[in-house]
Amino acid sequence: MTASAPSVPHARSAPLPPAGRRTHSVDRAFLSLERTHPQVRWDAGGVAYLSGPPPGLADLRAYVGLSLPRLPMFTARVDGAPRHSTWRPDADFTVERHVHEAVADGPGQWESAMDTALNAPFPPGARWGIWLVHGHAPDAYAVCYRFQHACQDGSAAALAFRTLLGAGEPSARPVPRPGRAALPRRAGLALGLSAKFGFAALGALGREPAARFTPTGERRLWRGRVPLDVLRRIAAARGGSAHDAHLAALAGALSSWSARSGVPLPRVRALMPVDARREDEEQTWGNRCFALPVTLPVNPSPARPGASPADADLPLRRLERVRAATARLRREPWRQAVQDMVRFMPDRPTEWYMRGVFSPRVTDILATSMPLADEAALGETRVTGTALLPLLLPGHLFGVGLSFFGTWAEVSFMTDGGLPLAARLPGLWEQAATELDEAAARAA
């Protein structure tokens, strides 16, 4: 990375449309949630871990500035009330307001520096930020990217990652083929899904939240990883996807964590974001996602009457339950209906639904996954690991993200500092994934 002047001006080579771009209904729902719940952290993001000498802050700012023409959202601001908001070019944009550093005071202060990057407030007017985390070692550092969720969803953020640290290619996301269903049928499916998910959210509002601990307000990040081939091998042996294998392992990890922590989990619902962009839609703008609640089989019933859970093949039964719950995600008409619903749903129903599914009386964790890249670099330094930073919603146990980077499936848990035994979660997930792999091999 070459040195440059510390100030990088607003990149004008890829401006927003002169009249601005109207926000999407999901964006407007997030903006309304920000306004009505200012005490909640509505930001998400990711961390890239790199091997090599860290750049200086001025150099990183120059590098980000040179990348701005390919990231027009980065130089935009939102104008107007939430229901009439528009993204417009920010004439006052500066890189200095968005790119910062968190310096560790020696090898033992790495976690403290990372906590600073995770919890630092955005400067006034900034809706995203990048933190250079370094000082703990001469040949290693991290880049933490955080954004207000009204600006981006996971797919858009992943493309930002690839743009800053890779080739910037779009993700290989599944989209329905055009023209597969007549418009009246598509409209009926979309309306039916809207009613189904709305009633499902209403039906769960009366239950007690799973989380029973005193939150501190400080977010912590915990990481684990297994070879990506492990999850792919499980999926190939039993059907489904690598994400299904991840969710089954997550259910097993939660069962073990509940027994160790003393936090009872009679039922756990995961909130899963689904990318609802059409094939011709840009991945750099706002939110085009739908949040789907899925019940995780943390404590499934025995496989046969009279059998104890210890006697049953729990890992494979958890996987079968997950596959059954996510099967509709792989059906083309269902994905088309989700796209239509997200595209045309009015503001008030969208906001009402999001408020419902975000409630800890409806869902207990947020679980997302994202393919990132085969490799990435910053100058001469190479990315060696990644971590997603999912939303940590009030009353939720945690947010969990699975990133596919290179040959690794990397799991990250975003927890409140008060969650008991939070540091054990990645190891329990790794153990559950290994047990699932072994069980699938025995059954083959």
Side-chain angles (χ1 to χ4, degrees):
M1 186 183 304
T2 59
S4 178
S7 179
V8 179
H10 178 185
R12 299 286 185 179
S13 57
L16 293 166
R21 182 181 298 225
R22 188 163 188 257
T23 57
H24 187 268
S25 60
V26 180
D27 305 343
R28 296 192 288 274
F30 272 113
L31 290 169
S32 181
L33 289 167
E34 288 179 13
R35 181 176 55 84
T36 56
H37 295 80
Q39 76 285 1
V40 176
R41 306 285 296 272
W42 295 106
D43 59 294
V47 180
Y49 299 86
L50 296 101
S51 176
L57 179 59
D59 290 343
L60 180 60
R61 284 172 170 170
Y63 181 88
V64 172
L66 293 173
S67 302
L68 292 177
R70 294 178 290 164
L71 295 166
M73 173 61 77
F74 275 31
T75 55
R77 72 172 190 270
V78 63
D79 285 343
R83 295 193 188 282
H84 306 282
S85 52
T86 304
W87 292 108
R88 300 184 185 278
D90 183 359
D92 298 323
F93 175 85
T94 62
V95 172
E96 287 82 1
R97 187 154 45 102
H98 294 79
V99 182
H100 321 276
E101 65 180 340
V103 183
D105 188 16
Q109 297 300 311
W110 165 251
E111 289 188 3
S112 177
M114 182 58 71
D115 289 345
T116 298
L118 295 177
N119 293 288
F122 293 114
R127 302 197 65 87
W128 62 271
I130 290 175
W131 279 261
L132 172 64
V133 187
H134 64 103
H136 64 293
D139 58 352
Y141 67 102
V143 174
C144 175
Y145 168 52
R146 288 168 41 213
F147 58 91
Q148 294 288 354
H149 218 302
C151 298
Q152 289 184 320
D153 56 25
S155 291
L159 183 59
F161 172 94
R162 288 187 288 271
T163 299
L164 289 170
L165 301 172
E169 76 281 2
S171 65
R173 51 198 176 88
V175 293
R177 286 170 287 179
R180 296 291 294 175
L183 185 58
R185 182 185 173 196
R186 284 172 53 181
L189 285 172
L191 288 173
L193 277 180
S194 302
K196 176 180 179 179
F197 294 131
F199 284 124
L202 277 176
L205 281 173
R207 74 185 186 98
E208 288 296 317
R212 296 184 180 276
F213 65 95
T214 302
T216 66
E218 290 292 313
R219 297 183 295 186
R220 301 294 303 275
L221 176 64
W222 313 98
R223 303 171 59 215
R225 56 167 29 179
V226 298
L228 179 55
D229 283 347
V230 170
L231 299 187
R232 287 175 172 167
R233 191 162 55 236
I234 296 167
R238 307 298 295 186
S241 66
H243 184 66
D244 291 338
H246 157 61
L247 291 179
L250 179 60
L254 279 168
S255 179
S256 299
W257 175 84
S258 175
R260 289 167 169 78
S261 66
V263 178
L265 296 177
R267 187 180 73 172
V268 175
R269 267 190 167 188
L271 184 61
M272 284 177 42
V274 177
D275 185 3
R277 281 177 175 78
R278 303 187 311 277
E279 190 172 10
D280 59 338
E281 283 188 299
E282 294 177 286
Q283 295 184 58
T284 56
W285 292 95
N287 290 265
R288 298 293 189 277
C289 59
F290 182 74
L292 171 67
V294 174
T295 300
L296 294 183
V298 174
N299 296 298
S301 57
R304 58 188 183 280
S308 68
D311 295 331
D313 200 343
L314 282 175
L316 291 182
R317 285 196 290 112
R318 287 193 177 106
L319 179 59
E320 293 303 318
R321 298 286 183 86
V322 168
R323 285 181 60 242
T326 63
R328 56 190 163 189
L329 293 175
R330 294 182 286 274
R331 296 174 188 159
E332 188 171 297
W334 190 91
R335 297 195 67 87
Q336 181 70 72
V338 169
Q339 286 186 347
D340 292 336
M341 182 173 58
V342 171
R343 184 179 182 185
F344 297 112
M345 185 179 285
D347 286 0
R348 291 187 184 278
T350 300
E351 184 178 341
W352 175 87
Y353 177 78
M354 287 175 60
R355 288 178 184 273
V357 296
F358 285 173
S359 168
R361 297 184 181 277
V362 176
T363 54
D364 307 293
I365 63 175
L366 186 143
T368 187
S369 67
M370 188 59 54
L372 288 180
D374 292 330
E375 59 182 18
L378 186 57
E380 299 300 319
T381 61
R382 310 297 299 178
V383 177
T384 59
T386 59
L388 300 186
L389 306 177
L391 280 176
L392 179 58
L393 297 169
H396 275 205
L397 286 168
F398 50 76
V400 58
L402 183 72
S403 57
F404 301 105
F405 178 75
T407 59
W408 293 98
E410 310 211 36
V411 70
S412 56
F413 291 84
M414 180 74 87
T415 75
D416 184 89
L419 184 72
L421 300 183
R424 300 285 299 276
L425 287 166
L428 294 174
W429 179 87
E430 292 173 346
Q431 178 183 343
T434 300
E435 293 173 351
L436 182 56
D437 187 31
E438 293 171 350
R442 289 195 302 269

PDB file of all heavy atoms in Angstrom, residues 273-294:
ATOM      1  N   PRO A 273     -31.986 -14.269   7.977  1.00  0.00           N
ATOM      2  CA  PRO A 273     -32.155 -13.348   6.843  1.00  0.00           C
ATOM      3  C   PRO A 273     -32.037 -14.108   5.515  1.00  0.00           C
ATOM      4  O   PRO A 273     -31.180 -14.978   5.355  1.00  0.00           O
ATOM      5  CB  PRO A 273     -31.005 -12.352   7.010  1.00  0.00           C
ATOM      6  CG  PRO A 273     -30.489 -12.565   8.403  1.00  0.00           C
ATOM      7  CD  PRO A 273     -30.755 -13.998   8.723  1.00  0.00           C
ATOM      8  N   VAL A 274     -32.897 -13.748   4.567  1.00  0.00           N
ATOM      9  CA  VAL A 274     -32.886 -14.355   3.241  1.00  0.00           C
ATOM     10  C   VAL A 274     -32.730 -13.246   2.211  1.00  0.00           C
ATOM     11  O   VAL A 274     -33.494 -12.273   2.208  1.00  0.00           O
ATOM     12  CB  VAL A 274     -34.194 -15.132   2.979  1.00  0.00           C
ATOM     13  CG1 VAL A 274     -34.207 -15.703   1.563  1.00  0.00           C
ATOM     14  CG2 VAL A 274     -34.375 -16.239   4.003  1.00  0.00           C
ATOM     15  N   ASP A 275     -31.731 -13.359   1.337  1.00  0.00           N
ATOM     16  CA  ASP A 275     -31.507 -12.370   0.287  1.00  0.00           C
ATOM     17  C   ASP A 275     -32.645 -12.459  -0.723  1.00  0.00           C
ATOM     18  O   ASP A 275     -32.892 -13.512  -1.315  1.00  0.00           O
ATOM     19  CB  ASP A 275     -30.163 -12.642  -0.396  1.00  0.00           C
ATOM     20  CG  ASP A 275     -29.802 -11.590  -1.426  1.00  0.00           C
ATOM     21  OD1 ASP A 275     -30.575 -10.616  -1.582  1.00  0.00           O
ATOM     22  OD2 ASP A 275     -28.752 -11.711  -2.073  1.00  0.00           O
ATOM     23  N   ALA A 276     -33.345 -11.331  -0.934  1.00  0.00           N
ATOM     24  CA  ALA A 276     -34.501 -11.319  -1.829  1.00  0.00           C
ATOM     25  C   ALA A 276     -34.262 -10.446  -3.059  1.00  0.00           C
ATOM     26  O   ALA A 276     -35.222 -10.001  -3.684  1.00  0.00           O
ATOM     27  CB  ALA A 276     -35.740 -10.831  -1.074  1.00  0.00           C
ATOM     28  N   ARG A 277     -33.008 -10.191  -3.397  1.00  0.00           N
ATOM     29  CA  ARG A 277     -32.734  -9.402  -4.593  1.00  0.00           C
ATOM     30  C   ARG A 277     -33.043 -10.192  -5.855  1.00  0.00           C
ATOM     31  O   ARG A 277     -32.816 -11.387  -5.925  1.00  0.00           O
ATOM     32  CB  ARG A 277     -31.262  -8.972  -4.628  1.00  0.00           C
ATOM     33  CG  ARG A 277     -30.951  -7.786  -3.739  1.00  0.00           C
ATOM     34  CD  ARG A 277     -29.460  -7.489  -3.784  1.00  0.00           C
ATOM     35  NE  ARG A 277     -29.153  -6.284  -3.045  1.00  0.00           N
ATOM     36  CZ  ARG A 277     -29.068  -6.238  -1.718  1.00  0.00           C
ATOM     37  NH1 ARG A 277     -29.251  -7.332  -1.010  1.00  0.00           N
ATOM     38  NH2 ARG A 277     -28.804  -5.104  -1.097  1.00  0.00           N
ATOM     39  N   ARG A 278     -33.533  -9.468  -6.850  1.00  0.00           N
ATOM     40  CA  ARG A 278     -33.678 -10.049  -8.164  1.00  0.00           C
ATOM     41  C   ARG A 278     -32.313 -10.083  -8.835  1.00  0.00           C
ATOM     42  O   ARG A 278     -31.368  -9.422  -8.401  1.00  0.00           O
ATOM     43  CB  ARG A 278     -34.673  -9.236  -9.008  1.00  0.00           C
ATOM     44  CG  ARG A 278     -36.041  -9.105  -8.390  1.00  0.00           C
ATOM     45  CD  ARG A 278     -37.012  -8.436  -9.361  1.00  0.00           C
ATOM     46  NE  ARG A 278     -36.483  -7.219  -9.942  1.00  0.00           N
ATOM     47  CZ  ARG A 278     -36.523  -6.021  -9.348  1.00  0.00           C
ATOM     48  NH1 ARG A 278     -37.048  -5.911  -8.134  1.00  0.00           N
ATOM     49  NH2 ARG A 278     -36.044  -4.945  -9.955  1.00  0.00           N
ATOM     50  N   GLU A 279     -32.232 -10.820  -9.923  1.00  0.00           N
ATOM     51  CA  GLU A 279     -30.947 -10.996 -10.602  1.00  0.00           C
ATOM     52  C   GLU A 279     -30.390  -9.676 -11.115  1.00  0.00           C
ATOM     53  O   GLU A 279     -29.175  -9.480 -11.179  1.00  0.00           O
ATOM     54  CB  GLU A 279     -31.103 -11.988 -11.755  1.00  0.00           C
ATOM     55  CG  GLU A 279     -29.785 -12.420 -12.374  1.00  0.00           C
ATOM     56  CD  GLU A 279     -29.990 -13.541 -13.374  1.00  0.00           C
ATOM     57  OE1 GLU A 279     -31.138 -13.850 -13.717  1.00  0.00           O
ATOM     58  OE2 GLU A 279     -28.968 -14.104 -13.810  1.00  0.00           O
ATOM     59  N   ASP A 280     -31.280  -8.742 -11.474  1.00  0.00           N
ATOM     60  CA  ASP A 280     -30.824  -7.486 -12.071  1.00  0.00           C
ATOM     61  C   ASP A 280     -30.640  -6.384 -11.032  1.00  0.00           C
ATOM     62  O   ASP A 280     -30.335  -5.244 -11.393  1.00  0.00           O
ATOM     63  CB  ASP A 280     -31.832  -7.015 -13.128  1.00  0.00           C
ATOM     64  CG  ASP A 280     -33.226  -6.787 -12.548  1.00  0.00           C
ATOM     65  OD1 ASP A 280     -33.532  -7.364 -11.484  1.00  0.00           O
ATOM     66  OD2 ASP A 280     -34.016  -6.038 -13.161  1.00  0.00           O
ATOM     67  N   GLU A 281     -30.793  -6.661  -9.759  1.00  0.00           N
ATOM     68  CA  GLU A 281     -30.665  -5.636  -8.730  1.00  0.00           C
ATOM     69  C   GLU A 281     -29.233  -5.538  -8.228  1.00  0.00           C
ATOM     70  O   GLU A 281     -28.558  -6.558  -8.039  1.00  0.00           O
ATOM     71  CB  GLU A 281     -31.598  -5.927  -7.547  1.00  0.00           C
ATOM     72  CG  GLU A 281     -33.036  -5.588  -7.808  1.00  0.00           C
ATOM     73  CD  GLU A 281     -33.886  -5.708  -6.557  1.00  0.00           C
ATOM     74  OE1 GLU A 281     -33.974  -6.811  -6.007  1.00  0.00           O
ATOM     75  OE2 GLU A 281     -34.465  -4.699  -6.122  1.00  0.00           O
ATOM     76  N   GLU A 282     -28.801  -4.296  -7.972  1.00  0.00           N
ATOM     77  CA  GLU A 282     -27.473  -4.080  -7.426  1.00  0.00           C
ATOM     78  C   GLU A 282     -27.380  -4.611  -5.999  1.00  0.00           C
ATOM     79  O   GLU A 282     -28.342  -4.579  -5.244  1.00  0.00           O
ATOM     80  CB  GLU A 282     -27.153  -2.580  -7.407  1.00  0.00           C
ATOM     81  CG  GLU A 282     -27.046  -1.950  -8.776  1.00  0.00           C
ATOM     82  CD  GLU A 282     -26.814  -0.464  -8.636  1.00  0.00           C
ATOM     83  OE1 GLU A 282     -27.758   0.250  -8.297  1.00  0.00           O
ATOM     84  OE2 GLU A 282     -25.687  -0.031  -8.881  1.00  0.00           O
ATOM     85  N   GLN A 283     -26.196  -5.081  -5.645  1.00  0.00           N
ATOM     86  CA  GLN A 283     -25.973  -5.535  -4.282  1.00  0.00           C
ATOM     87  C   GLN A 283     -25.366  -4.438  -3.403  1.00  0.00           C
ATOM     88  O   GLN A 283     -25.071  -4.671  -2.242  1.00  0.00           O
ATOM     89  CB  GLN A 283     -25.042  -6.751  -4.279  1.00  0.00           C
ATOM     90  CG  GLN A 283     -25.662  -7.967  -4.951  1.00  0.00           C
ATOM     91  CD  GLN A 283     -24.768  -9.172  -4.849  1.00  0.00           C
ATOM     92  OE1 GLN A 283     -24.408  -9.610  -3.772  1.00  0.00           O
ATOM     93  NE2 GLN A 283     -24.387  -9.722  -5.986  1.00  0.00           N
ATOM     94  N   THR A 284     -25.174  -3.269  -3.950  1.00  0.00           N
ATOM     95  CA  THR A 284     -24.502  -2.205  -3.198  1.00  0.00           C
ATOM     96  C   THR A 284     -25.471  -1.267  -2.499  1.00  0.00           C
ATOM     97  O   THR A 284     -25.044  -0.368  -1.802  1.00  0.00           O
ATOM     98  CB  THR A 284     -23.611  -1.384  -4.135  1.00  0.00           C
ATOM     99  OG1 THR A 284     -24.415  -0.875  -5.210  1.00  0.00           O
ATOM    100  CG2 THR A 284     -22.497  -2.225  -4.696  1.00  0.00           C
ATOM    101  N   TRP A 285     -26.768  -1.456  -2.677  1.00  0.00           N
ATOM    102  CA  TRP A 285     -27.724  -0.482  -2.173  1.00  0.00           C
ATOM    103  C   TRP A 285     -28.685  -1.098  -1.165  1.00  0.00           C
ATOM    104  O   TRP A 285     -29.398  -2.042  -1.473  1.00  0.00           O
ATOM    105  CB  TRP A 285     -28.530   0.105  -3.329  1.00  0.00           C
ATOM    106  CG  TRP A 285     -27.701   0.944  -4.237  1.00  0.00           C
ATOM    107  CD1 TRP A 285     -27.096   0.543  -5.385  1.00  0.00           C
ATOM    108  CD2 TRP A 285     -27.341   2.301  -4.053  1.00  0.00           C
ATOM    109  NE1 TRP A 285     -26.385   1.568  -5.935  1.00  0.00           N
ATOM    110  CE2 TRP A 285     -26.524   2.672  -5.141  1.00  0.00           C
ATOM    111  CE3 TRP A 285     -27.638   3.256  -3.089  1.00  0.00           C
ATOM    112  CZ2 TRP A 285     -25.997   3.949  -5.284  1.00  0.00           C
ATOM    113  CZ3 TRP A 285     -27.110   4.520  -3.228  1.00  0.00           C
ATOM    114  CH2 TRP A 285     -26.309   4.859  -4.313  1.00  0.00           C
ATOM    115  N   GLY A 286     -28.708  -0.565   0.028  1.00  0.00           N
ATOM    116  CA  GLY A 286     -29.764  -0.809   0.990  1.00  0.00           C
ATOM    117  C   GLY A 286     -30.047  -2.266   1.298  1.00  0.00           C
ATOM    118  O   GLY A 286     -29.189  -3.138   1.184  1.00  0.00           O
ATOM    119  N   ASN A 287     -31.285  -2.527   1.713  1.00  0.00           N
ATOM    120  CA  ASN A 287     -31.725  -3.839   2.153  1.00  0.00           C
ATOM    121  C   ASN A 287     -32.726  -4.420   1.168  1.00  0.00           C
ATOM    122  O   ASN A 287     -33.698  -3.751   0.785  1.00  0.00           O
ATOM    123  CB  ASN A 287     -32.397  -3.740   3.523  1.00  0.00           C
ATOM    124  CG  ASN A 287     -31.433  -3.422   4.639  1.00  0.00           C
ATOM    125  OD1 ASN A 287     -30.945  -4.304   5.322  1.00  0.00           O
ATOM    126  ND2 ASN A 287     -31.157  -2.122   4.837  1.00  0.00           N
ATOM    127  N   ARG A 288     -32.492  -5.655   0.782  1.00  0.00           N
ATOM    128  CA  ARG A 288     -33.467  -6.428   0.004  1.00  0.00           C
ATOM    129  C   ARG A 288     -33.517  -7.817   0.626  1.00  0.00           C
ATOM    130  O   ARG A 288     -33.211  -8.821  -0.004  1.00  0.00           O
ATOM    131  CB  ARG A 288     -33.046  -6.529  -1.473  1.00  0.00           C
ATOM    132  CG  ARG A 288     -32.947  -5.226  -2.198  1.00  0.00           C
ATOM    133  CD  ARG A 288     -34.294  -4.521  -2.378  1.00  0.00           C
ATOM    134  NE  ARG A 288     -34.159  -3.388  -3.273  1.00  0.00           N
ATOM    135  CZ  ARG A 288     -33.733  -2.182  -2.913  1.00  0.00           C
ATOM    136  NH1 ARG A 288     -33.384  -1.980  -1.649  1.00  0.00           N
ATOM    137  NH2 ARG A 288     -33.652  -1.204  -3.781  1.00  0.00           N
ATOM    138  N   CYS A 289     -33.894  -7.874   1.878  1.00  0.00           N
ATOM    139  CA  CYS A 289     -33.853  -9.147   2.588  1.00  0.00           C
ATOM    140  C   CYS A 289     -35.177  -9.386   3.303  1.00  0.00           C
ATOM    141  O   CYS A 289     -35.971  -8.466   3.518  1.00  0.00           O
ATOM    142  CB  CYS A 289     -32.703  -9.178   3.601  1.00  0.00           C
ATOM    143  SG  CYS A 289     -32.787  -7.876   4.844  1.00  0.00           S
ATOM    144  N   PHE A 290     -35.398 -10.630   3.641  1.00  0.00           N
ATOM    145  CA  PHE A 290     -36.573 -11.025   4.403  1.00  0.00           C
ATOM    146  C   PHE A 290     -36.111 -11.888   5.565  1.00  0.00           C
ATOM    147  O   PHE A 290     -35.200 -12.715   5.404  1.00  0.00           O
ATOM    148  CB  PHE A 290     -37.539 -11.814   3.522  1.00  0.00           C
ATOM    149  CG  PHE A 290     -38.802 -12.225   4.226  1.00  0.00           C
ATOM    150  CD1 PHE A 290     -39.777 -11.286   4.506  1.00  0.00           C
ATOM    151  CD2 PHE A 290     -39.009 -13.537   4.605  1.00  0.00           C
ATOM    152  CE1 PHE A 290     -40.941 -11.656   5.160  1.00  0.00           C
ATOM    153  CE2 PHE A 290     -40.162 -13.907   5.252  1.00  0.00           C
ATOM    154  CZ  PHE A 290     -41.132 -12.965   5.533  1.00  0.00           C
ATOM    155  N   ALA A 291     -36.688 -11.687   6.729  1.00  0.00           N
ATOM    156  CA  ALA A 291     -36.279 -12.412   7.932  1.00  0.00           C
ATOM    157  C   ALA A 291     -37.276 -13.520   8.235  1.00  0.00           C
ATOM    158  O   ALA A 291     -38.459 -13.264   8.410  1.00  0.00           O
ATOM    159  CB  ALA A 291     -36.180 -11.451   9.114  1.00  0.00           C
ATOM    160  N   LEU A 292     -36.786 -14.746   8.287  1.00  0.00           N
ATOM    161  CA  LEU A 292     -37.638 -15.923   8.450  1.00  0.00           C
ATOM    162  C   LEU A 292     -37.338 -16.626   9.772  1.00  0.00           C
ATOM    163  O   LEU A 292     -36.192 -17.028  10.011  1.00  0.00           O
ATOM    164  CB  LEU A 292     -37.388 -16.895   7.297  1.00  0.00           C
ATOM    165  CG  LEU A 292     -38.025 -18.270   7.387  1.00  0.00           C
ATOM    166  CD1 LEU A 292     -39.543 -18.146   7.298  1.00  0.00           C
ATOM    167  CD2 LEU A 292     -37.493 -19.179   6.297  1.00  0.00           C
ATOM    168  N   PRO A 293     -38.312 -16.787  10.657  1.00  0.00           N
ATOM    169  CA  PRO A 293     -38.068 -17.537  11.902  1.00  0.00           C
ATOM    170  C   PRO A 293     -38.059 -19.039  11.639  1.00  0.00           C
ATOM    171  O   PRO A 293     -38.946 -19.577  10.957  1.00  0.00           O
ATOM    172  CB  PRO A 293     -39.258 -17.155  12.808  1.00  0.00           C
ATOM    173  CG  PRO A 293     -40.017 -16.098  12.085  1.00  0.00           C
ATOM    174  CD  PRO A 293     -39.664 -16.208  10.643  1.00  0.00           C
ATOM    175  N   VAL A 294     -37.053 -19.720  12.172  1.00  0.00           N
ATOM    176  CA  VAL A 294     -36.917 -21.170  12.035  1.00  0.00           C
ATOM    177  C   VAL A 294     -36.650 -21.752  13.421  1.00  0.00           C
ATOM    178  O   VAL A 294     -35.754 -21.283  14.129  1.00  0.00           O
ATOM    179  CB  VAL A 294     -35.771 -21.543  11.081  1.00  0.00           C
ATOM    180  CG1 VAL A 294     -35.533 -23.049  11.066  1.00  0.00           C
ATOM    181  CG2 VAL A 294     -36.067 -21.047   9.671  1.00  0.00           C
TER     182      VAL A 294
END
